[in-house]
Amino acid sequence: MPTPKVDVQVVSSGIMADDVLMLGDSVMKAAKIPAQQQLILQFGSFRQSVTVIPVPRYDGLRVGHALARRMGLASGTPLRLQYRPGSRTLSLGPVIGVLVSRDYPTQPDKPFGSITMFCRELVDACRSQGAFVYFFTPGGIVSRSGGVEGWVYQGGWHQAVLPAPDVVNNRLTSRKLENKSSVQQFLIDIKQRYGAQVFNEKFLDKSEVFDALKGDAAVLRYLPESHSLLSYTTLKSMCARYPSVFLKPVRGSLGKGIIRLSRAGPEGWTASFTTPMGTRKQVYPNLMKVFAAISGKMKTVRYLIQQGLTLIEIGGRPVDFRALTQKNASGKWVVTSIVGRIAGSQHYVSNLARGGTLSTVKEAVARSNMAPGARKDVSARLHKAALDISKGVDERISAHFGELGVDLALDTSGRVWLLEVNSKPSKNDNTPLNEGKIRPSVRMMIQYARYLAGF
């Protein structure tokens, strides 16, 4: 049953006691909320005993100023409302906390740097759906009180102490921050104490993803042969099987640190290293020399060695595809968008950070060197692969994910391959931000948060 949405009106404390709410009588009847009885008001981790008074010909909610301040609410905030008769609890929400890496309190108009516009978009999406959102960093976790020091948007960005949320969307972009003991302890505490839900709760590494998916019959056909690179023997056996291989840092992102090895004559190999300036090439007389050159790096970086693929190209530039998959309002995986990414002129990785450009799937395939007979149903096949892979990751890796960036490729015969899965898909990498326009991906995130919180 859809939960009713009400506008909160904050009134002066002199007019209303702290433990009284006034609610439109039609809303009370529809939600079966008993009048003039002791109930528990719940808003995230906030709890307070209250009495609800019905107001005829009114469809909002009136709250005293002191109570609203303790909840972090401003007048005019739209919220969902739900009554649970078993526990005599009136819940307002959902309260969504977005955990971000850093804030800049000295820049109140742009407190989250380059993702401020995305945060604003989330605020607008929450207002339209009747959810309450705030943003906080690892530094804002106040463990003693169970509260959180976060940022809310109410006519401008403001900092406030707020209740712990019903749902946390973990958007931390650094493993170091995510692994901080204060962050991990907070996430455990709110799950155990308040039944909160946390999604995208951890980074994925490439070995973990490919190892987990090897056991999934539905996705085996998308997986290039991949192994953890632990010894010269592994390098030698992969290079004997394939004319080119890729060495990918297990914990890398944005195409950083990838090495491509290709045959150069009977014994020799060319190593192509990704750098911010473009591709740097080095020729080695034999494979032993290649291993000697990278074994120093292997002391600090774990690599996945992967079968080289003959990807489709446009004018000599490799093309791949980023699918954004999300869980929807009923908790099911859906594909929100798929975009083509064409590598920059001096690069063999397609990331926008490395000069790549975006394209539609249809346009990328039409301009590419894919065999004409292989172009049928390409979008449908990419769509199916993204869904199968997302379900596989969800079932086989023990963490809660609500959205994934699935990087796919097509070879010249039209076969779909998995490149990698990202549990923190960038919000500036898929579709351009349009001021005032809420993207489907943002709306979907709120719908899933509402589903998780029972609103």
Side-chain angles (χ1 to χ4, degrees):
M1 185 190 121
T3 47
K5 185 168 85 164
V6 294
D7 278 344
V8 175
Q9 190 183 357
V10 178
V11 297
S12 112
S13 296
I15 298 169
M16 257 176 86
D18 203 6
D19 58 353
V20 171
L21 303 178
M22 296 176 84
L23 184 59
D25 59 358
S26 59
V27 180
M28 289 186 70
K29 284 192 186 94
K32 299 187 170 59
I33 299 166
Q36 312 276 17
Q37 293 185 26
Q38 286 276 294
L39 307 175
I40 300 295
L41 172 67
Q42 178 184 330
F43 182 67
S45 63
F46 178 87
R47 305 282 189 281
Q48 156 105 22
S49 179
V50 293
T51 307
V52 186
I53 297 169
V55 182
R57 294 183 300 284
Y58 175 63
D59 56 9
L61 172 69
R62 289 184 190 139
V63 180
H65 183 266
L67 178 59
R69 196 180 66 240
R70 283 167 53 216
M71 293 164 74
L73 285 178
S75 211
T77 305
L79 291 174
R80 297 274 160 186
L81 171 148
Q82 189 178 56
Y83 180 63
R84 298 184 180 96
S87 56
R88 298 178 65 77
T89 301
L90 177 61
S91 297
L92 297 177
V95 180
I96 302 168
V98 181
L99 180 53
V100 296
S101 292
R102 59 189 67 82
D103 59 3
Y104 306 93
T106 55
Q107 301 173 32
D109 57 330
K110 235 183 146 183
F112 312 109
S114 63
I115 63 162
T116 303
M117 251 176 87
F118 161 68
C119 297
R120 217 15 246 288
E121 196 181 350
L122 265 179
V123 170
D124 293 343
C126 281
R127 283 193 71 82
S128 74
Q129 291 196 43
F132 181 85
V133 67
Y134 67 82
F135 303 84
F136 67 109
T137 67
I141 293 166
V142 190
S143 51
R144 296 171 308 285
S145 63
V148 176
E149 287 176 5
W151 290 84
V152 289
Y153 189 88
Q154 293 163 347
W157 290 105
H158 306 282
Q159 283 180 287
V161 175
L162 300 145
D166 298 310
V167 178
V168 174
N169 178 7
N170 174 1
R171 291 217 50 83
L172 291 176
T173 52
S174 130
R175 291 169 198 269
K176 192 176 166 189
L177 284 175
E178 187 168 274
N179 293 331
K180 277 182 79 162
S181 57
S182 59
V183 172
Q184 290 301 317
Q185 195 53 54
F186 170 76
L187 297 178
I188 291 165
D189 283 352
I190 62 168
K191 284 192 239 179
Q192 289 177 348
R193 286 170 65 184
Y194 310 117
Q197 301 262 7
V198 179
F199 69 89
N200 286 32
E201 56 189 339
K202 70 166 200 156
F203 277 90
L204 290 168
D205 70 37
K206 294 180 182 73
S207 296
E208 173 185 34
V209 169
F210 281 89
D211 287 349
L213 293 179
K214 277 173 190 171
D216 188 332
V219 302
L220 267 179
R221 66 184 137 160
Y222 307 125
L223 305 182
E225 187 178 349
S226 311
H227 303 279
S228 293
L229 180 59
L230 303 173
S231 66
Y232 176 67
T233 313
T234 313
L235 180 68
K236 189 177 168 188
S237 72
M238 283 290 280
C239 288
R241 276 205 289 289
Y242 301 106
S244 71
V245 296
F246 280 85
L247 311 186
K248 298 180 175 181
V250 159
R251 296 191 154 184
S253 64
L254 302 176
K256 287 176 191 157
I258 294 176
I259 304 167
R260 179 175 63 184
L261 296 179
S262 339
R263 278 187 201 284
E267 291 288 311
W269 287 84
T270 300
S272 305
F273 300 89
T274 53
T275 76
M277 298 295 102
T279 304
R280 180 173 65 81
K281 292 189 175 180
Q282 176 98 28
V283 179
Y284 295 92
N286 55 50
L287 210 48
M288 198 52 128
K289 289 276 196 262
V290 173
F291 190 73
I294 59 170
S295 55
K297 289 184 198 282
M298 285 168 62
K299 292 189 175 79
T300 52
V301 179
R302 287 191 298 132
Y303 284 97
L304 185 73
I305 183 165
Q306 206 164 66
Q307 159 190 356
L309 303 167
T310 315
L311 301 190
I312 60 170
E313 294 180 342
I314 294 174
R317 301 178 183 196
V319 177
D320 67 21
F321 301 89
R322 161 60 66 93
L324 178 68
T325 61
Q326 294 178 290
K327 285 183 181 165
N328 66 9
S330 48
K332 303 276 188 298
W333 283 105
V334 293
V335 176
T336 306
S337 63
I338 305 181
V339 292
R341 300 188 301 184
I342 304 156
S345 57
Q346 301 301 314
H347 296 272
Y348 58 83
V349 293
S350 66
N351 304 76
L352 302 193
R354 295 261 188 271
T357 52
L358 293 181
S359 151
T360 65
V361 172
K362 195 174 172 183
E363 186 198 355
V365 171
R367 291 172 58 202
S368 79
N369 61 340
M370 186 190 288
R375 298 181 179 200
K376 198 168 178 283
D377 303 328
V378 163
S379 286
R381 286 186 285 119
L382 289 170
H383 193 282
K384 181 174 172 12
L387 275 186
D388 288 346
I389 289 160
S390 299
K391 289 172 187 170
V393 166
D394 206 22
E395 283 161 17
R396 290 170 181 275
I397 294 177
S398 60
H400 181 170
F401 301 107
E403 62 177 356
L404 295 168
V406 182
D407 290 345
L408 300 167
L410 291 161
D411 64 22
T412 46
S413 70
R415 183 171 171 180
V416 179
W417 295 93
L418 172 64
L419 299 179
E420 71 172 294
V421 181
N422 187 331
S423 63
K424 306 295 177 87
S426 156
K427 287 304 157 197
N428 302 338
D429 207 8
N430 280 322
T431 43
L433 285 161
N434 296 321
E435 196 138 18
K437 189 167 183 281
I438 299 168
R439 287 171 290 176
S441 59
V442 174
R443 279 200 296 273
M444 191 74 77
M445 193 214 110
I446 310 301
Q447 286 166 9
Y448 181 55
R450 283 175 54 196
Y451 163 79
L452 286 177
F455 285 94

